Amino acid sequence: MTRVFSGIKPTGHVTLGNHLGAMRRWAQVDQHRADSLFCIVDLHALTVDHDPARVRRLSRQAATLLLATGLDPEVCTVYLQSHVDEHTRLSYLLECVATDGEMRRMVQYKEKSVRERERGGSVRLSLLTYPVLMAADILAFGTDEVPVGDDQVQHVELARDVAVRFNQRYGHTFVVPRATRPGVAARVMNLQDPTSKMGKSEDSGPGIVYLLDEPDVVRKKVMRAVTDSGRDVVYDRENRPGVANLLEILAACTDGDPEALAGAYASYGALKKDTAEAVVEVLGPVQARHRELCADPAYVEGVLRDGAAKARAMARPTVDAAYRAIGLLPPVFDTALTA
């Protein structure tokens, strides 16, 4: 059976972009068609300055929202990255295979390090090396497919390169994964800046719709969304990014086609109103289930505990094989290996 791995980083409150671009597909499609693991990658949240209490709080919230969107722990595996040691065990081995040049070419490192230098500071070493940890996240489980947005494809390509290099040097150990990308709304954009991704790392802003926003807050944000010059509703992502973003959000919420939807509207106002109501309707069941799960924290904790146990059992054989292949003795010496 195909194995799928994906994760969400607890660096901010989960957004509509996270839901439409990834989480809803995980629940509706991926968990049913494959042996799927969905991970809250909390170790990745430590690559930048952070408040420990906030990371813990957002990790729990992300886990609860994953379950609220429809992930079924009887069907898939949901767990916290830091609860499974195989992630970090494998990461160092892959650092011994990856190169400095590969790390410094990664887009997020280049962008964040430049911004930090301009402020007279320096980024953490973990920001440079975390793509290797991400590769370990993927490779530890024999992952076949990694569903990602456009901005994460580079990380899957690194995992592929590292897997191929390790296999060539030390013998076949890893499955070489591939990235899979959803279509419409794979990358929901900021409502106030439709050329930028609606990212959860930003703490606030009228351009970001959060999964737990109240309906009236959602409506206000969508109705105030930036549009483009002109009055006709046309789907043109390059030249009319504001309207295109609204059409893609509406299409994702209603299982429609953005180009076809454009022809149904004569004004921006009508498009915004329908988009706002569609978003409210999509988020309603998620918020209701989230409230139920928050009232039963023991259930969420049990899911994470059982998920970590399952994930460890799946990853350990591959990681142990990688340790042997690269030349490390097992904890209990096997005379056949020491010869």
Side-chain angles (χ1 to χ4, degrees):
M1 191 175 184
T2 299
R3 180 161 288 173
V4 167
F5 176 93
S6 199
I8 185 167
K9 186 164 59 173
T11 51
H13 295 289
V14 182
T15 71
L16 177 68
N18 300 131
H19 184 53
L20 296 182
M23 293 165 62
R24 188 172 65 161
R25 177 182 170 84
W26 296 349
Q28 294 180 352
V29 179
D30 291 326
Q31 69 170 336
H32 299 293
R33 71 176 179 86
D35 181 10
S36 300
L37 299 101
F38 301 104
C39 180
I40 296 90
V41 287
D42 49 350
L43 295 175
H44 291 295
L46 311 185
T47 61
V48 295
D49 289 342
H50 63 278
D51 173 11
R54 186 170 187 267
V55 171
R56 287 191 290 270
R57 184 173 65 254
L58 292 176
S59 296
R60 178 181 290 275
Q61 183 187 88
T64 306
L65 282 169
L66 285 177
L67 298 175
T69 58
L71 292 185
D72 183 350
E74 298 298 321
V75 176
C76 65
T77 304
V78 181
Y79 72 102
L80 281 166
Q81 179 190 30
S82 62
H83 292 179
V84 178
D85 293 344
E86 278 64 30
H87 288 269
T88 50
R89 285 185 62 210
L90 181 57
S91 181
Y92 179 73
L93 263 60
L94 299 184
E95 285 187 15
C96 297
V97 177
T99 68
D100 176 75
E102 286 174 319
M103 296 300 98
R104 295 185 188 280
R105 285 195 296 271
M106 302 303 286
V107 171
Q108 290 194 40
Y109 172 77
K110 289 197 295 185
E111 291 178 349
K112 291 182 179 179
S113 61
V114 168
R115 287 199 299 268
E116 193 63 30
R117 282 197 299 271
E118 289 173 348
R119 291 196 291 260
S122 179
V123 297
R124 299 182 180 190
L125 177 61
S126 56
L127 184 66
L128 177 65
T129 60
Y130 92 92
V132 177
L133 176 58
M134 188 177 293
D137 300 338
I138 296 165
L139 299 180
F141 297 98
T143 302
D144 299 293
E145 297 181 8
V146 187
V148 292
D150 293 342
D151 59 326
Q152 293 295 323
V153 172
Q154 185 185 33
H155 291 98
V156 181
E157 290 302 316
L158 175 69
R160 289 174 56 85
D161 292 343
V162 171
V164 169
R165 191 176 306 146
F166 191 102
N167 290 346
Q168 289 173 342
R169 290 180 182 176
Y170 306 113
H172 184 78
T173 305
F174 299 117
V175 173
V176 180
R178 61 185 180 275
T180 58
R181 285 173 283 183
V184 171
R187 196 176 189 193
V188 176
M189 311 306 281
N190 189 297
L191 295 174
Q192 291 298 312
D193 179 9
T195 62
S196 300
K197 181 181 175 182
M198 187 184 285
K200 67 180 182 304
S201 295
E202 300 177 46
D203 289 334
S204 62
I208 306 170
V209 175
Y210 298 104
L211 256 61
L212 298 179
D213 277 348
E214 294 291 335
D216 285 347
V217 173
V218 173
R219 293 186 182 99
K220 183 179 295 185
K221 288 180 177 180
V222 176
M223 293 304 294
R224 293 179 177 177
V226 168
T227 50
D228 311 291
S229 59
R231 296 184 178 182
D232 54 326
V233 179
V234 177
Y235 180 66
D236 183 344
R237 180 181 280 186
E238 182 175 349
N239 298 308
R240 308 284 289 278
V243 173
N245 189 37
L246 291 169
L247 288 167
E248 290 190 351
I249 293 171
L250 178 60
C253 290
T254 60
D255 295 321
D257 175 79
E259 289 193 37
L261 287 168
Y265 292 95
S267 70
Y268 293 163
L271 171 61
K272 288 181 176 181
K273 182 177 179 181
D274 283 1
T275 302
E277 294 307 319
V279 172
V280 168
E281 186 172 347
V282 163
L283 296 187
V286 176
Q287 295 176 353
R289 179 58 177 153
H290 178 264
R291 288 191 292 271
E292 294 174 359
L293 291 167
C294 286
D296 189 6
Y299 171 75
V300 177
E301 291 168 4
V303 168
L304 295 177
R305 182 178 58 251
D306 294 345
K310 288 170 60 179
R312 281 194 296 271
M314 282 188 274
R316 185 162 296 164
T318 297
V319 177
D320 285 349
Y323 267 62
R324 291 192 299 271
I326 206 168
L328 300 176
L329 284 171
V332 178
F333 294 170
D334 184 330
T335 54
L337 292 176
T338 58

